[in-house]
Amino acid sequence: MSNSKLSILSFLLALVALSSCDTQNPFDTGPAYDVEGNLAKDSLLIVDYLKTAEIDSLYRIYDPSGVVIIVQKEGNGSRPLTGNAIFTNYIGSLMSDGSVFDTNIRQVAIENDIDVEGREYEILSFALGSGTVIQGWDIAFRRLRPGSKARLIIPSTYAYRDAANNDRIPPNSVLVFDVDFKGIE
């Protein structure tokens, strides 16, 4: 091997060795989120909740994902498909203590002291499967018909995981949504 090729190879090896020692790696965001572990913990919490919670229902759907859909009023028509526009009212609360953290119904926001001045309280619309809502909603709304009223129990894995970006939702929270599925387009 020529001296110039040996020098280039030595330089590249040294560069790789030095770059792997960088302690300021911007892609090192800490330990990976434990999907299976958190889903297992949440599943136990959900089972305990369902044993004691008094929830009127026609039937319950236990999705393989771990999301539970408690249908309280059956709707009509076809279930939505990816890309359909969903229209719904909702009240979101923590399963742990029942505190309401979000809603699109002004009176509910006022009653729970979470009213945001200037916010437009109107029916929420989103495209199913577009990633604009938490994954648990995409899972649950695929199982409902327009006109349904339901309670959705969303494990943290399909909600906000361990994010600490909302002071009303602690990391790894199981969420409960009461939804009034107004229709699809």
Side-chain angles (χ1 to χ4, degrees):
M1 189 181 269
S2 71
N3 281 342
S4 64
K5 286 183 182 179
L6 190 56
S7 296
I8 292 172
L9 182 61
S10 297
F11 174 74
L12 290 175
L13 287 173
L15 183 63
V16 168
L18 290 173
S19 66
S20 65
C21 296
D22 183 9
T23 59
Q24 301 297 325
N25 183 348
F27 302 106
D28 183 12
T29 58
Y33 181 80
D34 182 7
V35 171
E36 289 180 18
N38 282 296
L39 191 54
K41 289 177 197 172
D42 290 351
S43 294
L44 294 174
L45 293 171
I46 291 169
V47 166
D48 287 344
Y49 172 78
L50 291 174
K51 284 180 186 175
T52 60
E54 294 183 20
I55 306 168
D56 290 336
S57 66
L58 298 175
Y59 60 93
R60 296 178 178 189
I61 301 168
Y62 294 88
D63 189 82
S65 66
V67 172
V68 179
I69 302 108
I70 302 170
V71 178
Q72 298 169 310
K73 177 185 171 197
E74 183 67 79
N76 297 308
S78 300
R79 290 182 177 90
L81 302 172
T82 299
N84 283 143
I86 305 290
F87 299 92
T88 189
N89 282 328
Y90 69 92
I91 301 169
S93 58
L94 300 177
M95 189 184 75
S96 60
D97 65 7
S99 61
V100 174
F101 61 82
D102 191 22
T103 184
N104 68 330
I105 305 166
R106 180 176 296 279
Q107 188 57 41
V108 173
I110 291 168
E111 291 168 3
N112 289 279
D113 199 28
I114 60 169
D115 184 42
V116 176
E117 190 163 331
R119 176 178 173 182
E120 300 268 338
Y121 287 89
E122 54 192 28
I123 292 176
L124 175 71
S125 67
F126 67 94
L128 189 67
S130 66
T132 57
V133 295
I134 60 173
Q135 190 178 7
W137 273 37
D138 282 334
I139 293 167
F141 274 93
R142 289 179 195 282
R143 307 293 295 265
L144 294 172
R145 297 178 190 281
S148 296
K149 290 186 180 184
R151 178 166 286 181
L152 315 178
I153 304 173
I154 313 289
S156 63
T157 301
Y158 300 107
Y160 298 106
R161 297 186 171 202
D162 56 0
N165 59 356
N166 185 322
D167 61 344
R168 290 191 210 114
I169 305 173
N172 297 309
S173 291
V174 177
L175 305 181
V176 175
F177 290 93
D178 290 304
V179 298
D180 183 358
F181 185 3
K182 297 295 191 181
I184 62 175
E185 210 173 74

